[in-house]
Each structure stands twice: as C-alpha cells, then as structure tokens.
Amino acid sequence: MKFNTISLCLIATLGLASCSDDGENGINGTNGTNGTSGTNGFNSLIQHQALTLGDSDCFFGGLKIQSGLDTDNNNELAAAEITSTSLSCNVNPVSNNGSRLPYTVLRNDIDDGAMPGMKFEIRNGGFGSDMVAHPTDPSLFYAVTDRGPNATFTGAQGKGKIFPTPDYTPRIGLFKLQPNGDIKKIKEILFKRPDGTLITGLPNDAAFGGTGETPYNIDGTLVTVDATQPYDATTNPIKLDNYGLDAEGIVALSDGTFWVSDEYGPHIVHFDADGKEIGRINAFSNDTRNTHTLPAEFANRRANRGMEGLAITPDESTLVGIMQSTLYNPSSAVKNLDIVRIVTVEIATGNVAQYLYKQEKNQNSQSGIVALSNNTFLVIERDGAFYNATPTAMKHLYKIDLTNATNIEAMTASGDIEQDPALGLTIAGETLEQVVLNSGWTTLENAGINPVSKTMVSDLVAEVSYPHDKLEGIWLIDNTRVGVINDDDFATWATGGVLEQKYLDAGKNTIDGNTLYIIENLDLGMTP
C-alpha cells in the first residue's frame, strides 16, 4: 500500500506541472562576426607517360600513371608532388615460337642432298653462335657468327670440312627488337686483321691450334692459296688463315670494343668498334700477337669444342671463358666425361684463375655464359638433340657461383699435387681429366678441389618446347628476363658428307633459322 501512495503522489505532481502555461519567446540575439576565409585547397593532378621498348619499368613498353597534389599551384606535377604511381606494361610480343632474325642468301645453287632434284639456300643467317646486350641501348643486342657454312667431309687429304663459301668473313650483327616482336638488323661488323684486311673462317695451322681440319671446296677439291690453280704442296698449298676465327663467344664493352672467343685456338681476340684486331689472348706462348697467355692445357681443346662461351664481369675488369666440353688433356681417351674448365683473365694484368664445372651428362655442351655479378654467372648447358625428334632433349640455363669453388691455378705443389707446365694441375701424375676418368670426382674432392656450385634457372624445353639443337647465346635483359638464340649453321646440314638444307623436323617442313626467345620471370638473384 505504501508504494501505491507514492505513485499517486508522483502522478499528481506531473499533472500539475503539465497544466502550467509556457512563457513568451525572448528576442533573438545579434549575429556574431564572420570568421576569416580558409586557405584554398590544392588541385589533384594526374599525368600519363607512354613508355617505349626498353624502359626500365616496363621493358616491352606500356603506360605509367602518376598522381598527386599540385602543392606549388603551377598546374604541373613535379617529382616531389607524386604520391601514387601505377604501371600498365605491355606483354612480351615475342611468342613461345620465338622471333626469327632476318637473313640474306649466300648461295642457292647447290643440290639439296635431302631433297633430290631441289637446290637449297645457304643463309647468312648464322648469327647465333652467341649474343650479348648492347652496353647502352636496352632494345639492341649483338650476335656473332662462327667461321661460316661448313660440313664434315673426308677427301684426298683426309678428314676435314667442306667450305661452300671459303672466303666468308665471320662477323658481328647489331639487331634491334621492335615493339611488335620483330627483329631488325641494323648493321654488320666484319672481323679484320690488325692491318685492316678481312679475315676468313678457315682453320689455323698447327702452331696456333689447328687440328688438321683440311678445308675442301664444294666439289671436293682442296681450298688453295690460288683458287684458280690446282693444289701443289709447294707452289699452291692448302689455304689456312692464322687470323681465321671460329667465333663462339662475344662481349661488348662500354667503350665500343669487343672481345670474341673461338674454338680454333682457342683464341680470345680484342676487336675495335670497326672489327679490327687490337689484342689477343691464347695458350700459345710463342704467339707474338698475344697480350696475355692462357694456361697451356687449353691448347688441348677438343676439335670443334673450344671456348664456346665468353663473359666479362660487370666492372669490365675480368674476362670469363668456358670451354664447351672436356679438354683432350692429355688425349682423346678422356673424351666421354663431364669435367669442363672455366678460365678468368684480368685484362689489365693477365692474372689467370681456373675453375671446374661438372656437367649433368657426359659430353654435354656449355655454349654460353653471361655475368650476373663478379662471381655469379648464367650458363647454358645443352645436348645436341632436336626436341621434335627427341622428347628428352636438354636445353638448360644454370646459375653458377665461383665463390666457394677451388681456383686450381692457385694450388701449389704438395704431395701428389703438381703444376705441370703443359698439362696444368696433376694428381699423382694424372691430369684432372684422367683423375675423373679413372677414379671419379671424389678423388678431386679429397684433394680439396671443389667445382663451381650450380642451380637450374630454366628448362627451355619445358618453357617453350625449344625446337632447335644448338642453344648458344644469352642476352641478359634485366634481373628477371633473358633472351636466348640458336646457331642455325647457316641453314646448312650434311649427311655422309653431302650438303643439304637444315630442317627442324623429320618431315622437312621447317628450315632452321636464328630465332630469338625471351624467357621471363626468372630468379637470377640480381639486385634490380
């Protein structure tokens, strides 16, 4: 009962309040003073920049969109005002089928041994023994030919090579990648002797690395000094060329000059911007042309498998050459092995270091090398198979590191280890090649000799179904992207010493040709 009484009292009180009358509204007060005007805001600006081929942000070109506030009110977006950047990059215009390099025809009057009743084309072409980036223009690359069209042949003077164009001059081509993926040849640089005369691709004599590769004409006669007269050992001998090169590796320097390695000597030759020889390095101590000399064992190269790759460190101080396969050191008895030599030469001093590389398969080919840093390099390791005919064909790119590898040139005599002046480092009287043949790599490891480390970067058969037999050149584009090229042998092949067109397929539908492929999204471990 007590709570009910309180409720009634409260209701009565509220009722009395609601019955009272409101008073009249008061007079409005005067308006206050207006505040000062605020500062005008900044305009937002957007700019679009078309990017051309070779751009560092979008290699294949594209569009860069930048925005920010115009803080200085000049209606221009300065670098300091940019707060947002986005890119729309063009896709790689070079398809998985690659882009063919242009060519001219050297000859088209020779019977095609593969197609009776037909003639075939010898093409120039041939720009695929190696390739290298232009030092300043990212859309350009250089590619080098080898000695010229040739084929294995046995004639009156024994084993040799047919040279259907014996006066061919090995050369460098400068090429430009086009926005649509096509390739344009800008110019050719022909190799010349120090006196400015053109060299040939004919073999050297034995004193400078010749291995008895006798040169023959297309009709089986000998290539002679005087082509109009018959061969005579005294009055008209076989024509050789001690300046002749079978070029396989190329380096382009920032001063416009080139270093080129070959598989005759092997020689490493310095050419000026016009292709004239200005220096030379080889393993022949009696060669008065030499600036520096390689270790003597490099003269024991296997025929047609010389210094297949050449690189230079980013500071342009040191040349790095890699042999294609195992040296015949001391003889061909060690042919079927997986041990390959790498040599470095300091250009200023001639100081030499030497390292070992272990191949994935015996008698594979190391056919290209390019520097990623002063100690790391990208190399090609391949077999000689066509993927269309051999699904297990191997065309790999590996990253190698010299840092923890053993410099065998620096090893001193100790116990069974000796430095032989003609054969290089030996263990218990055996060359390193003989050691691997007779007891394997473990013996080298027990002697403290470690090869370079290697990591596979790309399998080109898996990437692009790479159809060519001879993957031979690498163009380092940037830290995730490379171009590669093949040696097409001037579109010339031979079966049983009979010349024919070189095809990629058994059905003989596709003629081989120098083809650029661009491989992307690689982990090269380089600083951008």
Side-chain angles (χ1 to χ4, degrees):
M1 298 299 293
K2 180 179 179 180
F3 291 108
N4 289 339
T5 302
I6 294 171
S7 299
L8 290 171
C9 292
L10 178 59
I11 293 169
T13 303
L14 292 173
L16 290 171
S18 63
C19 292
S20 18
D21 295 330
D22 288 338
E24 295 180 359
N25 290 333
I27 301 171
N28 290 335
T30 58
N31 292 331
T33 306
N34 291 334
T36 58
S37 298
T39 306
N40 290 333
F42 298 121
N43 291 326
S44 179
L45 299 179
I46 299 176
Q47 66 181 14
H48 298 78
Q49 178 186 356
L51 304 178
T52 59
L53 182 71
D55 184 83
S56 59
D57 290 318
C58 292
F59 179 74
F60 300 110
L63 185 66
K64 179 186 287 187
I65 304 170
Q66 296 175 314
S67 62
L69 297 178
D70 185 17
T71 57
D72 58 7
N73 293 308
N74 68 348
N75 291 320
E76 294 181 1
L77 188 62
E81 297 171 331
I82 296 172
T83 58
S84 175
T85 299
S86 62
L87 297 168
S88 177
C89 296
N90 296 338
V91 299
N92 181 357
V94 179
S95 72
N96 281 356
N97 294 323
S99 290
R100 288 273 180 132
L101 272 62
Y103 67 87
T104 57
V105 176
L106 293 171
R107 291 188 67 169
N108 59 3
D109 60 335
I110 301 173
D111 290 336
D112 187 347
M115 306 281 278
M118 303 291 290
K119 306 293 184 182
F120 77 96
E121 292 184 341
I122 298 177
R123 297 176 174 179
N124 185 36
F127 290 101
S129 286
D130 198 8
M131 70 187 310
V132 67
H134 187 280
T136 59
D137 188 332
S139 68
L140 296 175
F141 64 87
Y142 292 103
V144 67
T145 72
D146 60 21
R147 57 184 160 181
N150 68 89
T152 300
F153 181 78
T154 299
Q157 295 293 318
K159 290 183 178 180
K161 296 282 185 180
I162 289 177
F163 287 84
T165 56
D167 294 329
Y168 181 82
T169 296
R171 63 200 65 190
I172 298 168
L174 176 62
F175 297 88
K176 185 175 180 65
L177 178 63
Q178 304 297 298
N180 66 352
D182 289 347
I183 310 296
K184 179 181 179 180
K185 185 167 70 175
I186 305 301
K187 66 176 180 177
E188 294 183 356
I189 303 170
L190 276 62
F191 292 134
K192 306 172 186 69
R193 301 178 180 86
D195 65 4
T197 58
L198 296 175
I199 73 167
T200 69
L202 295 175
N204 308 155
D205 66 36
F208 300 109
T211 54
E213 290 184 313
T214 303
Y216 292 93
N217 291 304
I218 187 67
D219 61 1
T221 60
L222 292 164
V223 176
T224 56
V225 172
D226 183 351
T228 66
Q229 300 297 318
Y231 165 74
D232 184 278
T234 302
T235 61
N236 194 28
I238 294 172
K239 184 178 181 180
L240 300 174
D241 186 352
N242 286 336
Y243 284 93
L245 286 180
D246 192 0
E248 296 293 346
I250 184 171
V251 163
L253 276 67
S254 57
D255 64 2
T257 66
F258 306 92
W259 284 94
V260 174
S261 67
D262 97 319
E263 54 186 16
Y264 273 155
H267 303 278
I268 308 174
V269 185
H270 195 192
F271 293 100
D272 69 13
D274 295 321
K276 186 169 71 173
E277 180 176 334
I278 55 177
R280 182 177 290 251
I281 301 170
N282 61 37
F284 310 106
S285 58
N286 62 339
D287 191 341
T288 58
R289 301 170 297 180
N290 274 0
T291 306
H292 305 303
T293 304
L294 295 174
E297 59 266 31
F298 281 87
N300 298 329
R301 55 94 181 171
R302 175 178 169 181
N304 295 316
R305 297 203 179 196
M307 192 170 290
E308 189 79 3
L310 187 67
I312 194 164
T313 53
D315 61 7
E316 296 192 344
S317 69
T318 304
L319 293 167
V320 182
I322 189 167
M323 301 301 288
Q324 181 173 347
S325 298
T326 302
L327 295 178
Y328 279 3
N329 192 32
S331 71
S332 61
V334 300
K335 174 180 179 179
N336 187 28
L337 290 180
D338 58 0
I339 177 173
V340 172
R341 296 185 183 235
I342 296 171
V343 63
T344 70
V345 183
E346 292 181 4
I347 296 173
T349 65
N351 290 338
V352 170
Q354 196 177 158
Y355 305 90
L356 300 181
Y357 176 100
K358 185 177 181 181
Q359 293 179 323
E360 297 299 300
K361 296 190 296 186
N362 289 7
Q363 299 193 69
N364 262 357
S365 295
Q366 308 308 129
S367 54
I369 183 170
V370 64
L372 304 177
S373 72
N374 284 352
N375 293 305
T376 58
F377 302 84
L378 193 65
V379 300
I380 294 170
E381 183 174 344
R382 65 167 177 85
D383 59 15
F386 293 92
Y387 171 61
N388 289 333
T390 308
T392 58
M394 175 184 168
K395 319 295 174 189
H396 289 178
L397 300 180
Y398 289 92
K399 180 181 177 181
I400 66 170
D401 192 338
L402 275 54
T403 303
N404 296 316
T406 305
N407 175 9
I408 59 176
E409 200 67 27
M411 295 184 70
T412 56
S414 176
D416 288 342
I417 295 177
E418 299 282 348
Q419 288 282 2
D420 185 282
L423 301 175
L425 192 73
T426 61
I427 301 176
E430 292 184 330
T431 67
L432 302 185
E433 289 78 8
Q434 289 174 312
V435 170
V436 173
L437 176 66
N438 295 326
S439 55
W441 282 84
T442 301
T443 302
L444 296 185
E445 294 169 4
N446 292 339
I449 300 173
N450 297 311
V452 300
S453 62
K454 58 188 287 193
T455 305
M456 192 169 78
V457 171
S458 181
D459 177 345
L460 296 189
V461 171
E463 286 276 348
V464 294
S465 300
Y466 196 82
H468 311 277
D469 58 334
K470 296 181 179 179
L471 170 65
E472 295 205 356
I474 312 174
W475 168 23
L476 180 62
I477 295 174
D478 55 33
N479 61 310
T480 63
R481 188 181 287 117
V482 299
V484 295
I485 202 168
N486 65 297
D487 180 2
D488 69 350
D489 293 311
F490 298 85
T492 302
W493 203 243
T495 301
V498 179
L499 292 178
E500 59 190 45
Q501 197 82 72
K502 183 181 181 183
Y503 293 95
L504 290 178
D505 59 314
K508 298 181 175 20
N509 296 309
T510 305
I511 299 173
D512 197 7
N514 300 131
T515 307
L516 171 71
Y517 298 80
I518 294 181
I519 312 301
E520 299 187 278
N521 303 315
L522 302 178
D523 180 10
L524 301 180
M526 299 169 62
T527 302

